[in-house]
Amino acid sequence: MPLKLIPLPYPDDALAPAISADTLQTHHGKHHQAYVTKTNDLAAAVGLGDASLEQIIAAARERGDKPLFNNAAQAWNHGFYWRSLSPNGGRPEGELAAAIERDFGSHDKLAEELQSRGEKHFASGWVWLAQSGGKLSVEETHDGDTLAIGDKQPLLTIDLWEHAYYLDHKNQRPAYLKAVIGGLLNWRFAADNLSRGETWRYPEEVAQPA
Ligand code: FE
């Protein structure tokens, strides 16, 4: 079944002014859509038209199929990123809050590390909160690389590509990161990922908004 563009889990103006409706319309409707379309075309051409997105990513990595890997991984990363953001994502609570305190010292220390790793990351990529063996860590992936498969289970991600912030913050990636980390991260999504213990899967069936 072809991969679909999953709808945003909030209205496109819900994250403004940090991330404007204009940015979300382009980022979701054009960039994410293009990754989905290219993944479908490239996957069908190599006999992976019925595979899940995670299977496509794993097969493309194994085969060294860079164009398919990059498009499939970017399709997955964006689906995960939309859920990593929320206009009311709360604060870390319960098991997640305890793990953050244990592994970073405090929520503020984690926020500082996300900010500084995101600021220093060279060129395009992603910064993640992840867990492995129950231990939390901040990770980075470059360009279209992903934590969708592999040993580190992603809990949250932030898109560091210029298309994520350029319309709203021009070249000021630190300002974008500050606004996202300071109030738009979806801690409930991170907590759900941690308690599930298995990596989130890109939905195959897409519920159309009513
Ligand atoms: Fe992006």
Side-chain angles (χ1 to χ4, degrees):
M1 183 185 329
L3 179 67
K4 299 193 180 67
L5 180 68
I6 54 176
L8 289 173
Y10 31 72
D12 61 19
D13 60 356
L15 307 180
I19 301 174
S20 64
D22 197 12
T23 290
L24 279 184
Q25 284 161 13
T26 307
H27 198 179
H28 176 258
K30 305 288 185 197
H31 290 275
H32 192 188
Q33 177 68 66
Y35 293 128
V36 167
T37 302
K38 285 180 196 156
T39 298
N40 283 332
D41 291 348
L42 294 168
V46 294
L48 290 168
D50 289 326
S52 71
L53 183 53
E54 291 80 9
Q55 290 168 331
I56 293 170
I57 293 168
R61 173 170 277 168
E62 179 144 342
R63 297 172 185 185
D65 185 339
K66 277 275 181 194
L68 179 56
F69 178 84
N70 284 332
N71 281 287
Q74 283 291 80
W76 194 97
N77 287 354
H78 284 87
F80 192 81
Y81 172 61
W82 309 133
R83 277 155 182 71
S84 295
L85 302 176
S86 171
N88 41 32
R91 293 273 296 182
E93 291 174 7
E95 180 195 9
L96 176 63
I100 288 170
E101 204 157 303
R102 183 193 64 214
D103 295 333
F104 294 97
S106 67
H107 177 80
D108 286 350
K109 293 275 188 219
L110 166 58
E112 280 169 29
E113 183 166 350
L114 284 169
Q115 177 84 26
S116 82
R117 296 277 295 273
E119 284 183 17
K120 288 176 194 151
H121 183 95
F122 185 74
S124 297
W126 301 80
V127 63
W128 310 76
L129 176 63
Q131 75 88 20
S132 181
K135 185 168 168 44
L136 305 193
S137 61
V138 172
E139 304 292 332
E140 295 168 51
T141 57
H142 285 273
D143 301 319
D145 206 354
T146 186
L147 298 187
I149 58 171
D151 298 340
K152 305 273 185 199
Q153 186 208 353
L155 305 182
L156 284 179
T157 196
I158 304 173
D159 192 338
L160 301 175
W161 289 56
E162 282 185 346
H163 64 226
Y165 58 85
Y166 213 86
L167 294 177
D168 303 319
H169 303 280
K170 296 291 190 266
N171 60 326
Q172 298 299 318
R173 189 194 286 173
Y176 156 73
L177 287 169
K178 194 155 190 274
V180 167
I181 296 165
L184 295 179
L185 289 178
N186 187 351
W187 295 105
R188 272 185 285 274
F189 179 60
D192 289 346
N193 286 322
L194 182 64
S195 65
R196 189 187 331 105
E198 282 178 17
T199 297
W200 178 83
R201 287 172 171 273
Y202 192 95
E204 298 202 12
E205 293 294 335
V206 177
Q208 291 305 317

